[in-house]
Amino acid sequence: MVPDENYLRPTFAEIDLEAFDRNVEAVEAMLPDGSRMIAVLKADAYGHGAVPLALRCQGRVSGFAVALLEEAEALADAGVHAPILILGPLTAPQFDRCFERGFVPGMIGPEELAVFAARARASSWQGEIHLKLDSGMGRMGFLAEDLEGAAATLGQLPGVRVAGIYTHFANASDPADPYTQRQTGRFESMLDRLRDLGVDAPLHHVANSAAIARGLIKPGDWVRAGIILYGAEPLDTGGARLSPLMRWTTRIARLKQVSAGAPIGYGCSWRAPRESRIATIPVGYADGYSRNLSNRAEVLVRGLRAPVVGRVSMDLVTIDVTEIPDAHTGDEVVLLGRQGEQEIPAEELAVLLNTISYEVLCAVGRRVPRVWIESGRRTL
Ligand SMILES: *Cc1c(COP(=O)(O)O)cnc(C)c1O
C-alpha cells in the first residue's frame, strides 16, 4: 500500500501501467506461432515493482521468472497464481520452501541437482523443474560433460518432471557477433544428447530481450522477456515502439540566488561561474541517484534541462536553474523520464555512469515510493 502522500517527501517513481500493457502487447506481436512469454520480474521487476506488474499481466503471459526464492514468495503472497520459475541458485532449505509453495526451480548444475535430489527424496516431492544448460555464458547451467550424470540422477527421481530446458545468451545484443549462433548450436546438440539419455522436455526457452528484438526465437519456444517490458535499452525492434515505464520525480524544496564564485555542496566541487539560481531537491545517493552523477547529469524543470551542480549528497541534490527563470519552489523536477517535450532516458544516465540502463533502473532505491499511473492518474 502507498502511504498517505501528504506525509511523504515529494519524491516518487511513477510507473505507467498502460505503457507496460503496450510493451507486453508489443512483445507478444514479436513472437512466432506457438511461442509464449515468461515475464522476467527479478529485482522487483528491475525496480518497477514486481507485484503490480505481475497482477497486471498474469492472464496474458505463460509465467514469471525471478532470481530469488523471496521474490517468488512476494509474488505468491500477493495472489499471483501463474507459474513462477526461480532462476536461482537455490540452497537446500530453499528447496524445501520451494516445494511447499509450488515454485518451479531452475536447476543450474550438478552440485545443485544433487542437493535438490536429496531434498526431493526426503520429502517425496513430486513436481516440475526446468534444466538450465550452459551453452557458453559460463555462469550457470549444465555443461555437455554433466549431462550423463544429470540424466542418471533424474532417472532416480520418478516424481520429478523436467518441464522445460533453457539456456541464456551472452551477447545477443550484438548482431555482428557470431557467438549467439554458436550458443544456439551448442544448445541444440545438448538437447539431442539429453534426448538420447532419455531426458526430454516439451518446452524450451532461450531468447532474452535482445534475442526477442532480433527475432531469434524458434517457433514454439518460449522467451524470457526482461528489459524489453520496461521500455529501456536501445533495442532495435524493427519498428515496434516500446515505452519506458518509470518517471522519477521530485520537487524543488529551496531556491536561492548565489553570487559569482559561490561554492555549492561537499568539497566545494562547483563554484557559480556567474550570479546563479540554485535549487535544492530532496533526493540523493541514498535513493539510488548515484554520486557519480555529481556535476554531470541533467534533470528536467518546466520542460527544460537543468544541470546537476555540486556533489550529489545522501539526501539532497543541487541543480542550476539560472536558465529557467520561471522555476519556483515546489516545481516538479524529473530525474528520469519525460516532462513536456524533454526526456531523460535511463540510457542517458547509464552512459554517464559507464553502465547499462538495467543498473540505473535497479538502483532506484526502496526509499523512493513507487506510485502506479493509469489514465494519467495515480492509483493506489
Ligand atoms: C535477467 C534474465 C533474463 C532477462 O534478460 P533481459 O535482457 O532483461 O531480457 C532472461 N533470462 C535469464 C536467465 C536472466 O537471468
Side-chain angles (χ1 to χ4, degrees), residues 40 42 46 87 132 139 166 168 207-210 224-228 358:
V40 180
K42 63 194 179 191
Y46 299 27
L87 298 167
K132 167 94 177 255
R139 301 185 308 194
Y166 65 110
H168 195 40
N208 56 1
S209 293
R224 297 183 308 274
I227 199 79
I228 197 167
Y358 297 66

Side-chain angles (χ1 to χ4, degrees), residues 5 24 70 75 84 100 123 156 189 238 345 363:
E5 246 183 62
V24 169
E70 57 266 38
L75 293 180
I84 303 172
E100 283 166 29
S123 60
Q156 292 162 6
S189 64

Side-chain angles (χ1 to χ4, degrees), residues 6 42 59 97 133 145 163 195 239 250 255 287 297 338 340 354:
N6 293 320
K42 63 194 179 191
R97 193 69 164 258
L133 306 185
E145 61 261 36
R195 232 172 260 127
T250 182
L255 184 58
D287 300 300
R338 182 168 282 284
N354 193 25

Side-chain angles (χ1 to χ4, degrees), residues 41-196:
L41 299 180
K42 63 194 179 191
D44 204 21
Y46 299 27
H48 295 77
V51 165
L53 298 188
L55 294 173
R56 188 97 182 163
C57 73
Q58 71 174 342
R60 303 186 61 164
V61 303
S62 58
F64 300 110
V66 294
L68 312 182
L69 172 66
E70 57 266 38
E71 293 173 343
E73 294 198 288
L75 293 180
D77 290 347
V80 170
H81 50 71
I84 303 172
L85 171 68
I86 305 182
L87 298 167
L90 292 169
T91 63
Q94 288 182 316
F95 277 121
D96 293 339
R97 193 69 164 258
C98 188
F99 300 160
E100 283 166 29
R101 305 231 34 189
F103 303 135
V104 180
M107 213 53 59
I108 61 122
E111 309 92 326
E112 191 186 69
L113 182 63
V115 171
F116 162 82
R119 306 311 296 184
R121 235 178 260 119
S123 60
S124 306
W125 180 71
Q126 305 208 335
E128 292 185 350
I129 63 169
H130 286 206
L131 278 189
K132 167 94 177 255
L133 306 185
D134 186 355
S135 60
M137 174 68 135
R139 301 185 308 194
M140 298 207 293
F142 293 83
L143 296 163
E145 61 261 36
D146 302 324
L147 297 181
E148 203 174 321
T153 305
L154 290 166
Q156 292 162 6
L157 294 168
V160 173
R161 196 171 83 88
V162 178
I165 307 180
Y166 65 110
T167 194
H168 195 40
F169 288 135
N171 203 21
S173 59
D174 181 1
D177 190 346
Y179 195 65
T180 304
Q181 211 178 337
R182 289 247 300 280
Q183 281 195 259
T184 305
R186 279 189 210 146
F187 182 61
E188 292 294 334
S189 64
M190 288 168 91
L191 288 176
D192 287 344
R193 176 83 183 111
L194 276 173
R195 232 172 260 127
D196 291 345

